[in-house]
Amino acid sequence: MRKERIVRKWAANAVVLVLSLLLVACSSNKASTTQASSGSYSGSVYTVKRGDTLSRISRMTGTSVGELARLNGIPAPYTLEIGQKIRVKNSSGSSSSSKKTAVAKTSKPRSSSTSSVAKVAAPPVGSKCWLWPTSGKVVAPFSDSDGGNKGIDIAGKRGQPVYASAAGTVVYVGNQLRGYGNLVMIKHNEEYITAYAHNETTLVNTSQKVSAGQKIATMGSSGSDSVNLHFQIRYRANAIDPQRYLPPPGSKPSC
């Protein structure tokens, strides 16, 4: 009976964590409606800005990377130019009608059941030791703005090892979250979780305990338009900037 209760508890935690990442997707959609008023959208057309990638546009607009590439005739590796006009299309087939619906929804007061996670003060640097989850250049930094990148994107080679940034228990392994591909989530304690997205392969299972630096996946491009690792650190369900807490690249944490 105790074992069953533990399993149910972890399952419940996994659902909560998955929903917290879904909130990130929702905030991306909210950002797309905000951008509509600033001129980034014109009907069903998105204008590429500095730092945009096809996978980021996919997350913001709800149109899959493959569909964006097909609609716009963009071949791999999906290179974009600033100012380029990108046609977008949602699952219902009508971007403009969907966008109007989204604007109408976001204009209404949110109920307590759909409100975002309450913001909390970020923890002090050095309060917990973190390891780099892989090696490579950070090609997309963290952004705390609405619809911004809630982690960092690290470029690398396909099949490159992905490591647990700290010891903990795996609470999610799967690819049900659109835009994240093969995803691994690790709970480290009652305050911290980490997420590792776009993996080629995953090497751990839900409820498995892992140690800091343990290989948990290999880098890939699942749910993305390029080979990279999307890495998040969440403190009390809020995304924080991993680069503030990770040691200098190539070095070990001093804490």
Side-chain angles (χ1 to χ4, degrees), residues 111-196:
S111 65
S112 58
S113 61
T114 59
S115 60
S116 298
V117 176
K119 291 289 185 180
V120 298
V125 175
S127 57
K128 184 172 178 59
C129 290
W130 300 103
L131 302 175
W132 278 86
T134 193
S135 59
K137 180 180 179 181
V138 175
V139 293
F142 175 86
S143 172
D144 199 32
S145 62
D146 285 346
N149 193 21
K150 299 310 178 188
I152 57 175
D153 295 350
I154 307 171
K157 297 179 180 180
R158 190 176 302 278
Q160 181 173 313
V162 174
Y163 305 104
S165 189
T169 302
V170 178
V171 291
Y172 180 82
V173 179
N175 55 11
Q176 287 79 25
L177 285 175
R178 186 175 182 178
Y180 290 93
N182 296 324
L183 174 67
V184 176
M185 298 172 65
I186 300 174
K187 182 175 181 179
H188 304 283
N189 54 33
E190 294 304 317
E191 294 185 321
Y192 289 99
I193 64 169
T194 50
Y196 312 74

Side-chain angles (χ1 to χ4, degrees), residues 58-71:
S58 171
R59 290 195 292 267
M60 290 168 60
T61 64
T63 309
S64 70
V65 170
E67 183 71 359
L68 288 172
R70 186 189 67 79
L71 286 171

Side-chain angles (χ1 to χ4, degrees), residues 4-24:
E4 292 177 354
R5 287 196 298 270
I6 293 174
V7 171
R8 286 197 297 269
K9 179 181 178 181
W10 282 120
N13 287 337
V15 171
V16 171
L17 296 175
V18 169
L19 289 175
S20 70
L21 279 183
L22 281 172
L23 288 173
V24 177

